[in-house]
């Protein structure tokens, strides 16, 4: 269950259920098609539990030289993953991180961060951001500064900013160096944007305090107005 990549951080999903791990890889692949994603779910015989061998194989499959992030569904899965990591060479251990983060939300956020070229620390941080993203989403919308720029658009695609278009939006936002917010939340945070629940017909305010952000704001607004091919 691996998607090929070139020089990106890989991700291993360790679950007690083979179907859950495989399903999460399928979900994450929709938003991170070039990242190496490996499912390590269930026991060697296909039962409920975890497998030293599957996790070991998953790490090898996901590793493209930029490091590997492991996310686990339950505590005992973490113990198995830690045992596998302990058997690696010391240099390899430094490149394998086991992250304590929500399995689905953290995994998706990590995959998108890897897709946008984040390094190992950045991918780990993206996964961990899922722990507090809901509180961030409740922040009040901040108006643009007097010297900043803003643009408001209406979502037209059928399902609004669900996972795939949200990831496409974040990928584009991550290419700009200027700060940009979407209805008061960071345009580069997939989970924050998805937690806004922006459906078809929703008003989306893009703002930046940087007066040079006009081209970035317009590019993102144009993407939203395109409907992501889903009208």
């Amino acid at each position: 269950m691996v998607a090929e990549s070139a020089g990106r951080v890989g991700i291993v999903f360790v679950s007690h259920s083979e179907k859950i791990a495989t399903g999460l890889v399928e979900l994450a692949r929709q938003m991170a098609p070039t990242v190496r994603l490996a499912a390590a779910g269930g026991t060697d015989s296909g039962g409920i539990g975890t497998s030293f061998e599957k996790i070991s194989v998953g790490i090898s499959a996901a590793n493209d030289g930029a490091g590997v992030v492991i996310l686990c569904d339950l505590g005992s899965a973490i113990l198995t993953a830690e045992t596998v990591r302990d058997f690696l060479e010391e240099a390899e251990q430094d490149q394998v991180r086991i992250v304590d983060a929500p399995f689905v939300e953290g995994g998706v956020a990590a995959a998108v961060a890897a897709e946008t070229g984040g390094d190992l620390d950045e991918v780990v941080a993206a996964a961990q951001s899922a722990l507090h993203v809901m509180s961030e989403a409740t922040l009040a919308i901040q108006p643009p500064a007097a010297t900043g720029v803003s643009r408001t658009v209406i979502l037209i695609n059928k399902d609004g900013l669900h996972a795939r278009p949200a990831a496409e939006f974040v990928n584009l936002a991550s290419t700009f160096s200027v700060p940009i917010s979407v209805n008061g939340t960071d345009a580069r945070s997939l989970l924050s944007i998805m937690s806004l629940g922006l459906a078809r017909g929703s008003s989306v305010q893009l703002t930046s305090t940087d007066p040079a952000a006009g081209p970035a704001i317009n590019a993102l607004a144009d993407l939203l107005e395109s409907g992501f091919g889903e009208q």
Side-chain angles (χ1 to χ4, degrees):
M1 298 297 178
V2 179
E4 294 300 325
S5 68
R8 299 187 190 278
V9 174
I11 302 171
V12 179
F13 298 105
V14 181
S15 173
H16 282 66
S17 165
E18 182 176 359
K19 290 182 179 180
I20 289 176
T22 302
L24 187 48
V25 165
E26 183 180 2
L27 172 64
R29 185 177 287 128
Q30 298 302 308
M31 294 163 276
T34 71
V35 175
R36 292 194 178 197
L37 305 171
T43 64
D44 292 334
S45 61
I48 298 297
T50 55
S51 162
F52 181 102
E53 179 65 20
K54 285 187 175 183
I55 297 172
S56 180
V57 170
I59 291 173
S60 296
N63 192 358
D64 196 34
V68 175
V69 167
I70 300 176
L71 289 104
C72 305
D73 63 351
L74 296 171
S76 56
I78 295 176
L79 293 177
T80 308
E82 288 176 339
T83 301
V84 175
R85 184 177 179 275
D86 288 342
F87 273 81
L88 298 174
E89 297 292 334
E90 186 173 350
E92 293 179 287
Q93 291 182 20
D94 292 338
Q95 288 296 101
V96 176
R97 306 278 187 88
I98 302 170
V99 184
D100 182 12
F103 192 51
V104 176
E105 294 88 344
V108 168
V112 171
E115 179 69 23
T116 59
D119 61 21
L120 192 56
D121 288 337
E122 290 169 332
V123 174
V124 168
Q128 293 172 332
S129 72
L131 292 168
H132 53 79
V133 68
M134 293 307 295
S135 61
E136 291 180 348
T138 62
L139 293 175
I141 297 175
Q142 298 297 320
T147 56
V149 292
S150 69
R151 179 173 167 182
T152 300
V153 300
I154 303 299
L155 289 180
I156 63 171
N157 55 306
K158 180 180 178 181
D159 296 317
L161 277 187
H162 62 89
R164 188 196 64 79
E168 186 176 344
F169 180 89
V170 169
N171 287 342
L172 178 58
S174 297
T175 66
F176 301 112
S177 60
V178 293
I180 302 171
S181 66
V182 178
N183 288 11
T185 197
D186 186 1
R188 298 182 182 87
S189 173
L190 175 68
L191 295 180
S192 292
I193 290 175
M194 290 181 64
S195 70
L196 292 173
L198 296 172
R200 184 175 186 174
S202 295
S203 177
V204 182
Q205 184 182 44
L206 303 170
T207 64
S208 177
T209 56
D210 190 330
I217 293 285
N218 287 333
L220 291 169
D222 290 346
L223 177 61
L224 293 173
E225 290 183 330
S226 75
F228 302 90
E230 297 182 350
Q231 298 96 316

